[in-house]
Amino acid sequence: MPDLHGIIYAYHSSPELGELVSLRTSASLPFCSRYRLIDFALSSMTNAGVRDVSVIMQRSYHSLLDHLGSGKDWDLSRLSGGLTLLPPFGLFDSQFGEYRGCMEALSSIRTYIREIKQNNIILYRGDLAANLDLRDIFETHSASGCDVTAVCADKNAGCTGKGIRFVPVHGTSNVSNLMLFAGAEHENALPSLEVYIIKKNLLLDLIDWCRANGKIHFHRDALVHYLDSAKSIGLYIHKGYAARICSIMDYYTANMDMLKASCRNDLFSDDKPVYTKGRSSVSTYYGDMASAKNSLVADGCYIEGELENCVLFRSVRVHKGAKLKNCVIMQDSVIGENANLNYVISDKLATFSDGLLLSGNEHLPITVPKWRTI
Amino acid sequence: MKKECIAMLLAGGQGSRLHALTSRAAKPIMPFGGKYRIIDFPLSNCANSGIDVVGVLTQYQPLQLNSYIGSGQPWDLDIQRGGVYILPPYQSAGEKGEWFKGTANAIYQNIAFVDMWEPEYVVILSGDHIYKMDYSDMLEQHKANGADCTIAVIRVPMAEAHRFGIMNTDNNGFVTKFSEKPKKPDSDLASMGIYIFSWQKLKKYLIEDEADASSEKDFGKNIIPAMLGNGEKLYAYAFNGYWRDVGTIDSLWESNMDMLSPTLIDLFDPTWPIRSRSPIKPPHYIGENAEIQHSIITEGCDVRGRVTNSVLSNSVVVGEGAVVDYSILMPGCVIGSGAVVEYAIIGENAVIGGGAAVGKQPDGMCEIRITTCGPNSRVKANARIGAGEMVYAGKEER
């Protein structure tokens, strides 16, 4: 069992996710027919033998709580330790549990962090679609002698999503430069997956420094401060698929990526299974007139129409004559007879009337909110 | 700890009429209808009926069954005061342990388990039937009748009545006559093998039956006739829904095919969910050149060929250009590219080589003959396995 404690941050959703996050946090975004994004963080912890995991949340966390339950689906419902939920916790000197940045969030749970038995903490984005090998990352971290290890995507892996980049020091695996701004160009810059292993005591020091100096951000404040004192950060390059889900387009692209066997096999392998909340449903039924091509379909669907390049979640109903192309349809949605949808992202429980014609395009998929009837 | 009613589920049978399919695992664990195992039906019925103590009597090849049931969590039966209990044959001090000699003897050997719950009533169930039934409704009727035993019955075609335990009743459902597999049946009311007994009464008859050396220790053959002969109050409980005994290859195949007609049995009904232990698998993928019609597909499948009129359990692979028609593919089996599989049951993790032809019905045959490939069996590339043949794991490889 690695000397590692997991903290997943699920308190922030990028506003560019629009309606998809109006009722949920990005960590609980449904993904690839039957998962929520946070399943990847939780499963990689479980698969690496990390037994103590906490989740920081702030707003719109009903769907997240509903999904997590006791944590038993990830084997995290334990007699001691296991899953700990950390909803907003207002200390007297904070703003009533409102935190503006990661360091402020960590600051509000400082007492929790102080009690952690393990000497290392892994900070993990809840909205990252990647199946990280935490055992390997932890071994690399321990062997490097660094106090912080940053997990980055391979430069050529085509990691989607904007964000922090790291530039490795020439000839070493350590990093000195931290490039903070989206789009920053540097030929060796590696996109950060914003997953870090950090020594517990260092994290406590950084929390205290940030609090004392009125700083709130992890990268911009804490890491820059740490690097300024001539320290370096260890680097781990994740070779497999990784997507940071920060916008509707990121979300759509990542779902469509799953139609490619290479991406799908990277995320879902038998030796590192991805666990999720169970839902008892029937197998999917395809009717006499159904047709399906290049699509991913979860259990519980009832399909009488046609699918092409689609990702269908559980218990979707596609009536006769309906044609779905390039769509992501979340659970319990109903597509009426002869409806024709192209480049549509449908949130849960949406209803599309008979004969409806709705089309976005590949650069701008249409998002249909939860419960909406069109 | 007191419970009004508990269930005892007979899951020890070999299912010898399923031949290759049950050579390594008990019948109740047989994959069914894509998502399920046969035992999911009685277990889910118990959970949905509010029965939260279920004793599962195992004997034949129990390993898979034990690990499938586990803590009972998939059926919400992992509770503090009750739950699902695996009951294998065991040895007592000073006695020679012995196998369960019959259905009645299996319960007899577990009288102590039943007594632990001090129940008024015990439901006796089989692990090889496909149906949705509310046992609490049957129990209400049992109580209202003041019955000693209530037997669930279903009407069967007269021509098939000789295969069942057949009952004659009066207008109130009072059983006047019971004959086990009669040669000349005079009623079409067949026993479904589902009984509710008042426990003290059943216990008395189990003890008496055990002492009778000539008895076969069977509910249908011994216990029910003995109770009827002694004038105990036996009532029939009429069931009108879908019910199938899947004890033979033909009935297993037919009942799976029934799952393609949601009008026969509604498994989508959220008020009576049939629950199962899910494999940890991603959604199923349908390839660019795939064709799927009138079929059931489950998580983890990867379908590149043509699938029609078939039931696919989880993690089945159907290669490019393969054709699957009127077949049942159990978890993890692989149909190689260009293979043709018709009217077949392919067991768990079996591999059908590329270009093989399995189950082709001879021209001019009117009776379908189902081909079976046992779990883990291998059929070589381009091999021909004719209609009605059986391929055993390790034994035959052609």
Side-chain angles (χ1 to χ4, degrees):
Chain A
M1 212 182 297
D3 181 20
L4 200 55
H5 187 106
I7 296 181
I8 298 172
Y9 35 108
Y11 64 90
H12 175 74
S13 310
S14 161
E16 288 176 62
L17 282 161
E19 273 168 334
L20 295 176
V21 292
S22 64
L23 296 165
R24 60 168 80 87
T25 143
S26 57
S28 68
L29 265 175
F31 179 73
C32 189
S33 299
R34 59 191 297 274
Y35 302 93
R36 303 278 182 154
L37 288 174
I38 199 169
D39 292 337
F40 295 102
L42 292 166
S43 301
S44 61
M45 305 263 184
T46 298
N47 288 333
V50 177
R51 286 175 59 118
D52 296 327
V53 178
S54 52
V55 181
I56 304 179
M57 52 193 82
Q58 178 163 235
R59 292 199 194 94
S60 320
Y61 51 67
H62 169 250
S63 102
L64 185 66
L65 290 179
D66 180 53
H67 183 68
L68 295 176
S70 65
K72 75 177 173 189
D73 290 307
W74 302 268
D75 286 347
L76 290 171
S77 176
R78 302 265 62 99
L79 290 175
S80 71
L83 181 69
T84 305
L85 303 175
L86 299 169
F89 180 68
L91 280 176
F92 61 92
D93 62 344
S94 75
Q95 304 188 351
F96 305 100
E98 277 281 310
Y99 18 84
R100 295 161 295 169
C102 179
M103 292 314 283
E104 214 170 47
L106 292 171
S107 173
S108 77
I109 58 159
R110 194 188 186 286
T111 48
Y112 172 84
I113 295 172
R114 215 181 61 174
E115 300 290 318
I116 286 175
K117 298 189 295 282
Q118 294 86 353
N119 291 307
N120 297 281
I121 290 169
I122 180 153
L123 297 173
Y124 206 127
R125 276 183 77 124
D127 56 3
L128 178 69
N131 197 341
L132 302 183
D133 185 347
L134 291 195
R135 218 178 270 274
D136 195 39
I137 296 171
F138 183 66
E139 276 167 21
T140 307
H141 167 77
S142 304
S144 74
C146 291
D147 289 342
V148 186
T149 295
V151 181
C152 293
D154 197 342
K155 190 171 53 173
N156 303 317
C159 171
T160 59
K162 290 176 282 195
I164 312 293
R165 281 156 199 277
F166 286 103
V167 179
V169 179
H170 186 68
T172 75
S173 64
N174 290 358
V175 196
S176 67
N177 257 323
L178 183 58
M179 299 175 73
L180 287 177
F181 302 102
E185 294 297 331
H186 187 291
E187 61 172 335
N188 293 323
L190 297 170
S192 166
L193 297 180
E194 295 178 39
V195 172
Y196 300 92
I197 294 185
I198 183 166
K199 289 241 154 65
K200 175 185 151 183
N201 290 332
L202 172 62
L203 184 62
L204 288 171
D205 289 348
L206 291 173
I207 289 169
D208 294 340
W209 180 84
C210 285
R211 191 188 275 191
N213 291 281
K215 305 288 191 185
I216 58 174
H217 296 296
F218 181 76
H219 298 97
R220 196 185 312 167
D221 300 326
L223 272 193
V224 166
H225 166 68
Y226 178 72
L227 282 168
D228 276 352
S229 44
K231 305 260 180 44
S232 60
I233 295 177
L235 195 64
Y236 179 93
I237 300 173
H238 168 69
K239 303 279 187 199
Y241 181 86
R244 296 172 296 194
I245 310 296
C246 307
S247 68
I248 290 178
M249 211 51 218
D250 288 348
Y251 177 78
Y252 181 76
T253 309
N255 272 293
M256 288 296 139
D257 281 346
M258 293 302 107
L259 294 175
K260 300 173 198 146
S262 57
C263 299
R264 195 166 65 242
N265 296 341
D266 250 3
L267 273 191
F268 306 102
S269 66
D270 283 342
D271 57 331
K272 286 184 290 169
V274 181
Y275 305 93
T276 188
K277 182 187 172 191
R279 170 164 168 153
S280 275
S281 33
V282 200
S283 303
T284 283
Y285 172 75
Y286 290 86
D288 292 337
M289 309 299 284
S291 108
K293 300 214 178 306
N294 192 37
S295 294
L296 281 167
V297 183
D299 278 350
C301 295
Y302 196 99
I303 297 165
E304 296 175 289
E306 298 173 22
L307 311 176
E308 192 176 346
N309 309 331
C310 287
V311 176
L312 262 61
F313 288 72
R314 297 187 243 210
S315 307
V316 168
R317 179 148 195 153
V318 181
H319 284 283
K320 281 197 182 78
K323 287 189 171 63
L324 273 64
K325 232 174 144 175
N326 310 309
C327 292
V328 176
I329 311 287
M330 293 188 210
Q331 69 185 41
D332 299 314
S333 289
V334 179
I335 322 295
E337 278 184 30
N338 300 314
N340 196 328
L341 311 185
N342 195 6
Y343 293 106
V344 171
I345 301 173
S346 161
D347 209 320
K348 291 165 67 174
L349 293 152
T351 305
F352 299 86
S353 328
D354 293 354
L356 179 83
L357 191 66
L358 191 64
S359 179
N361 81 22
E362 59 179 309
H363 305 292
L364 189 66
I366 292 180
T367 313
V368 176
K370 193 171 172 181
W371 296 306
R372 183 66 61 87
T373 299
I374 302 186
Chain B
M1 200 179 310
K2 185 156 177 62
K3 295 275 178 186
E4 187 193 26
C5 181
I6 73 165
M8 297 293 271
L9 209 170
L10 299 160
Q14 179 179 354
S16 55
R17 289 170 300 160
L18 290 169
H19 305 280
L21 294 171
T22 50
S23 58
R24 302 278 170 86
K27 179 162 58 168
I29 195 73
M30 176 78 60
F32 183 86
K35 185 91 178 179
Y36 307 104
R37 306 277 172 163
I38 295 171
I39 199 168
D40 288 330
F41 288 82
L43 282 178
S44 300
N45 286 338
C46 283
N48 292 338
S49 303
I51 294 173
D52 59 10
V53 173
V54 184
V56 180
L57 299 127
T58 64
Q59 177 154 290
Y60 175 79
Q61 292 276 15
L63 297 181
Q64 283 193 41
L65 186 60
N66 293 354
S67 66
Y68 184 73
I69 290 175
S71 65
Q73 184 257 324
W75 306 273
D76 237 356
L77 289 169
D78 56 333
I79 55 169
Q80 304 277 2
R81 297 166 70 87
V84 53
Y85 296 81
I86 304 273
L87 304 170
Y90 62 95
Q91 208 166 16
S92 308
E95 285 175 36
K96 240 171 108 180
E98 55 180 357
W99 297 108
F100 297 147
K101 287 170 289 186
T103 51
N105 176 258
I107 306 296
Y108 171 83
Q109 290 201 35
N110 286 288
I111 284 177
F113 171 81
V114 180
D115 276 340
M116 220 162 75
W117 305 98
E118 306 164 38
E120 307 289 323
Y121 311 102
V122 174
V123 187
I124 308 288
L125 303 168
S126 283
D128 47 9
H129 297 158
I130 304 298
Y131 63 111
K132 298 197 303 181
M133 180 170 168
D134 187 350
Y135 306 133
S136 67
D137 189 55
M138 182 170 167
L139 181 61
E140 285 309 310
Q141 190 195 300
H142 179 85
K143 288 196 264 186
N145 286 335
D148 299 309
C149 171
T150 300
I151 306 168
V153 297
I154 190 161
R155 288 195 188 279
V156 293
M158 226 30 204
E160 287 183 31
H162 65 277
R163 294 172 39 217
F164 296 91
I166 293 296
M167 256 159 286
N168 299 68
T169 64
D170 69 11
N171 290 337
N172 301 319
F174 187 82
V175 178
T176 53
K177 187 178 159 200
F178 178 92
S179 19
E180 181 70 11
K181 299 191 176 127
K183 289 205 175 70
K184 286 184 182 156
D186 52 0
S187 157
D188 63 351
L189 282 181
S191 164
M192 297 162 65
I194 299 162
Y195 311 98
I196 293 181
F197 289 96
S198 297
W199 171 236
Q200 290 308 326
K201 194 68 85 173
L202 174 62
K203 191 172 157 183
K204 170 175 170 280
Y205 277 90
L206 287 176
I207 293 169
E208 287 173 11
D209 185 63
E210 186 62 20
D212 177 359
S214 68
S215 165
E216 290 182 51
K217 321 283 190 251
D218 183 86
F219 275 99
K221 289 178 192 149
N222 308 105
I223 301 291
I224 301 296
M227 289 181 80
L228 200 61
N230 285 350
E232 305 289 0
K233 286 201 273 178
L234 277 72
Y235 281 85
Y237 172 80
F239 180 75
N240 299 316
Y242 180 89
W243 176 84
R244 291 291 183 280
D245 180 327
V246 288
T248 64
I249 285 174
D250 285 344
S251 63
L252 179 67
W253 181 82
E254 279 165 23
S255 189
N256 267 288
M257 289 297 135
D258 287 346
M259 299 302 123
L260 295 173
S261 309
T263 45
L264 285 174
I265 179 168
D266 182 8
L267 296 174
F268 284 84
D269 176 9
T271 65
W272 202 268
I274 303 299
R275 299 183 193 277
S276 59
R277 185 179 289 278
S278 264
I280 309 297
K281 291 290 172 187
H284 69 256
Y285 175 74
I286 309 294
E288 292 276 2
N289 306 314
E291 262 184 77
I292 300 183
Q293 268 120 33
H294 196 52
S295 292
I296 280 173
I297 317 282
T298 310
E299 280 163 359
C301 288
D302 190 327
V303 179
R304 310 295 173 118
R306 182 168 192 254
V307 175
T308 47
N309 309 307
S310 294
V311 175
L312 273 61
S313 292
N314 75 77
S315 314
V316 168
V317 176
V318 179
E320 290 283 348
V323 174
V324 176
D325 197 17
Y326 289 104
S327 293
I328 296 151
L329 309 186
M330 292 187 176
C333 73
V334 177
I335 311 298
S337 300
V340 178
V341 176
E342 304 162 275
Y343 298 96
I345 303 178
I346 311 296
E348 283 185 71
N349 302 314
V351 177
I352 309 298
V358 176
K360 180 157 179 55
Q361 303 292 311
D363 292 336
M365 287 288 293
C366 44
E367 194 185 335
I368 295 168
R369 284 155 65 203
I370 304 302
T371 307
T372 47
C373 295
N376 303 305
S377 62
R378 296 278 180 280
V379 170
K380 281 186 180 163
N382 303 313
R384 297 280 174 273
I385 307 292
E389 287 191 49
M390 266 180 222
V391 179
Y392 284 82
K395 262 190 190 165
E396 281 176 72
E397 185 170 319
R398 324 183 210 192

